[in-house]
Amino acid sequence: MSIDYMREAIRLASCGMGKTSPNPMVGAVIVKGGNIVGTGYHKGAGTPHAEVVAINRAGANTDGATLYVNFEPCCHWGRTPPCTQAIIKAGIKEVHASIIDPSVWVNGKGIKELKDAGIKVIVGELADKASELNAAYIKWAKTGLPYVILKAAITLDGKIADGAKRASRLSRFGGGYCGISSKWITSEVSRKFVHRLRAQVDAVMVGIGTVIADDPSLTVRLVRGKNPKRIILDSNLRTPREAKILGNGCIIATLKNSRVEGAFMPRQIEGAEVWQIQPNDKGKVDILEVLKRAAKTGIQSILIEGGKEVFTDVLSRQIVDKVYCFIAPKIIGNGVPVIGDLGIKNIQEALTLNAIKIRKFGHDILVEGKFSH
């Protein structure tokens, strides 16, 4: 039964998907006399934590009860009081926590405080599942970098666009190449899944080429959920003033000392946050530096949606944690490949995904996997 209670705590925690950052997703179950007397989950930063919600719902039934929680209870003051003090005050005698909070604010201190108060603490039940649920928070807390997800939609022959020029848009946006966008490559059910992904991450990132070519908004429209921040990698400030992506929550990462010029006008800078970033060895915005800055602002997860140049950069630098690749049953021949040169000389050096999952969305196939760095 102990595992079942922890499984329920993890399920409850997942109800906060896409809402709790920069806090972890946490669920709590309080059991007394073999019965669940209180449950709760964290609904968002600044709201009561899962343990406190469960304690309040349990009322007078907490004395001598057992608490199951998928994450180590916090022991510091933030926007809300420490959960450890609430647990101790409630008279709970035993706490089961799946995993330790790796952040500098907790990292075992919560467990120690509970033990010092005479509470029995058991750590490790369903740790793998609990770690998977909060993979973004854990990476952010341990490394100071966001969890990076790459999403691509390709044809059977590995193309993300047909390479044709879209004259009306290109003339308005100042040139460049554009092909079929992902909404034409994949089915509507696949697009809904992508919108769900957007609602679950803190930010979406694309290169300036994608902005000029496809004019994406990168918001959540096909499902219910919050809009992520949108980050544009734009070394030379070429973002068009008519671009749909601009507005509240838009961040433009450009080169340090870049000047406002070309199609981009000062009023758009007022509507978007501009980050000036040091260049990489190719004279373009260094993506790793962008990730570091994003993490410092509390962005724990980033979904990279394009294009080829950005995909190639992050894969060659091995900073991608997870991949979602939609494959549509279409062949276009001459077009834009999804990935450029990674400097791989033979198949033994190939980047290999682990923990593979394969699902079908309409006529499309989704390949999901992780990299082990």
Side-chain angles (χ1 to χ4, degrees), residues 121-339:
V121 180
I122 298 171
V123 178
E125 293 170 340
L126 297 181
D128 289 346
K129 292 186 179 297
S131 297
E132 171 65 19
L133 180 65
N134 278 301
Y137 175 89
I138 292 169
K139 182 187 177 183
W140 175 76
K142 285 184 174 181
T143 70
L145 290 172
Y147 191 80
V148 178
I149 304 167
L150 186 153
K151 187 280 297 182
I154 66 174
T155 60
L156 272 178
D157 51 345
K159 304 299 192 302
I160 57 172
D162 60 14
K165 292 184 178 180
R166 189 173 295 164
S168 60
R169 179 168 296 161
L170 294 174
S171 61
R172 180 160 55 96
F173 280 5
Y177 280 90
C178 175
I180 50 176
S181 67
S182 60
K183 69 181 180 181
W184 300 118
I185 290 178
T186 56
S187 63
E188 182 178 356
V189 66
S190 297
R191 301 200 304 274
K192 283 185 177 179
F193 181 84
V194 172
H195 280 236
R196 193 171 298 114
L197 281 179
R198 289 178 185 171
Q200 293 173 359
V201 298
D202 295 330
V204 175
M205 178 186 289
V206 293
I208 182 59
T210 296
V211 173
I212 290 174
D214 294 334
D215 191 23
S217 61
L218 300 181
T219 54
V220 176
R221 303 179 304 281
L222 300 182
V223 298
R224 295 181 62 182
K226 67 171 181 61
N227 288 325
K229 293 182 182 296
R230 285 98 59 210
I231 302 174
I232 308 171
L233 301 174
D234 184 4
S235 297
N236 299 311
L237 283 177
R238 295 190 295 135
T239 300
R241 54 187 168 186
E242 302 95 343
K244 294 177 183 176
I245 195 173
L246 291 173
N248 185 39
C250 180
I251 298 166
I252 299 174
T254 190
L255 289 177
K256 198 171 182 64
N257 301 321
S258 286
R259 294 183 301 170
V260 179
E261 57 188 0
F264 198 96
M265 301 300 288
R267 66 183 180 85
Q268 266 74 49
I269 284 190
E270 293 175 3
E273 185 177 357
V274 177
W275 293 353
Q276 290 191 309
I277 306 295
Q278 294 289 352
N280 58 22
D281 57 4
K282 296 180 181 178
K284 296 187 177 183
V285 167
D286 191 319
I287 292 182
L288 185 57
E289 293 304 314
V290 175
L291 295 179
K292 290 177 181 177
R293 180 156 180 176
K296 288 179 180 178
T297 69
I299 292 175
Q300 296 177 359
S301 54
I302 292 180
L303 179 66
I304 297 179
E305 292 206 37
K308 171 190 169 184
E309 185 176 335
V310 179
F311 289 162
T312 304
D313 194 2
V314 293
L315 286 171
S316 63
R317 300 179 70 170
Q318 298 188 30
I319 53 179
V320 175
D321 297 289
K322 193 169 187 177
V323 171
Y324 289 96
C325 184
F326 287 92
I327 305 171
K330 301 175 182 179
I331 298 173
I332 60 175
N334 185 31
V336 180
V338 61
I339 306 294

Side-chain angles (χ1 to χ4, degrees), residues 39-58:
T39 63
Y41 72 93
H42 185 42
K43 294 184 177 180
T47 66
H49 289 191
E51 300 93 322
V52 173
V53 174
I55 287 170
N56 289 339
R57 288 179 174 173

